[in-house]
Amino acid sequence: MTDTTTTQRLAPQTGTAFELPAGAYLRVIDPTGEQVSDLYAVSADDRAEHLSSGRSLDYAEKLWLTTGDVLYSNRSQPMLRIIEDAVGRHDFTLTPCSQQTFDLLYPDHEGYHPSCHENIADALAMYGVAVDHIGVTFNIFMNVVYDSSTGKMLLGPPMSRPGDHILLRAESDLVVALTACSAENSNNGALKPIDFTVDH
């Protein structure tokens, strides 16, 4: 693979969606460090086939996916394969933040708050994906750890540093949504951009 494409930038608290054909490469880059990017995917041929956290973690037999691991669909079909991973810590257990997330978990945020769920839903609407069909996202660079005695989930600062990236290859024809995460607590208190490239 040669990196010949133009780097695109997602402004803080925004998202996008695009077609990613089988064999294409998606590189997600943290340009400034400690910034999460939520990724969701559906089949280009059947929107009912979508990214599955449960299938992916089950088949990998671990919580933290990295180089060589596969992200599967709800039909147990490979969707994305991790080719390179400069960080090695991503989350595949938490749903994308929504308005309800901020209402329930962060009551200090009163009123409207931008969210990854809204950004993904808006971006995928043009591809015919209903809002209720958006499930658990692959939360790139998100650092979730677990208390071994209580099972409590703890959210730490992302481990990514400026310029760190993850490279994924599409294993089938996909529609992919990508965000620059909108939740302050997921990004060590600051909201920053996400860069990405697509190489066919």
Side-chain angles (χ1 to χ4, degrees):
M1 189 204 73
T2 57
D3 187 9
T4 58
T5 55
T6 301
T7 300
Q8 302 181 65
R9 173 158 292 187
L10 290 174
Q13 298 184 305
T14 66
T16 189
F18 46 88
E19 296 181 19
L20 191 70
Y25 291 85
L26 169 63
R27 187 186 304 270
V28 181
I29 307 155
D30 185 350
T32 60
E34 297 188 337
Q35 174 62 40
V36 171
S37 175
D38 290 18
L39 180 151
Y40 195 64
V42 297
S43 169
D45 298 322
D46 184 351
R47 303 296 191 261
E49 184 172 10
H50 57 78
L51 190 64
S52 172
S53 166
R55 301 289 183 195
S56 302
L57 298 181
D58 193 2
Y59 301 148
E61 299 182 310
K62 57 185 177 181
L63 283 171
W64 296 309
L65 304 186
T66 187
T67 304
D69 290 321
V70 175
L71 280 59
Y72 286 88
S73 77
N74 56 312
R75 296 175 183 165
S76 297
Q77 297 301 307
M79 298 189 92
L80 293 157
R81 183 180 300 273
I82 302 174
I83 304 300
E84 297 174 3
D85 184 4
V87 178
R89 181 62 62 87
H90 318 279
D91 170 69
F92 211 0
T93 62
L94 301 183
T95 58
C97 62
S98 65
Q99 183 62 50
Q100 291 77 17
T101 302
F102 293 102
D103 293 342
L104 292 170
L105 296 182
Y106 310 116
D108 52 316
H109 290 288
E110 295 184 2
Y112 171 76
H113 193 292
S115 70
C116 285
H117 189 269
E118 179 185 33
N119 288 331
I120 291 170
D122 288 348
L124 287 178
M126 65 178 291
Y127 292 99
V129 179
V131 63
D132 288 336
H133 290 170
I134 298 168
V136 174
T137 44
F138 183 56
N139 303 308
I140 297 168
F141 309 133
M142 181 179 279
N143 182 18
V144 178
V145 295
Y146 306 88
D147 186 295
S148 60
S149 60
T150 66
K152 184 175 178 59
M153 305 169 76
L154 307 171
L155 192 60
M159 298 170 67
S160 53
R161 297 294 175 254
D164 280 348
H165 75 277
I166 186 171
L167 179 68
L168 305 110
R169 185 181 67 214
E171 299 296 287
S172 59
D173 293 338
L174 304 173
V175 175
V176 172
L178 197 66
T179 74
C181 177
S182 298
E184 288 86 350
N185 286 26
S186 297
N187 303 294
N188 203 19
L191 298 167
K192 303 168 287 292
I194 281 289
D195 291 347
F196 70 97
T197 64
V198 173
D199 194 324
H200 298 282

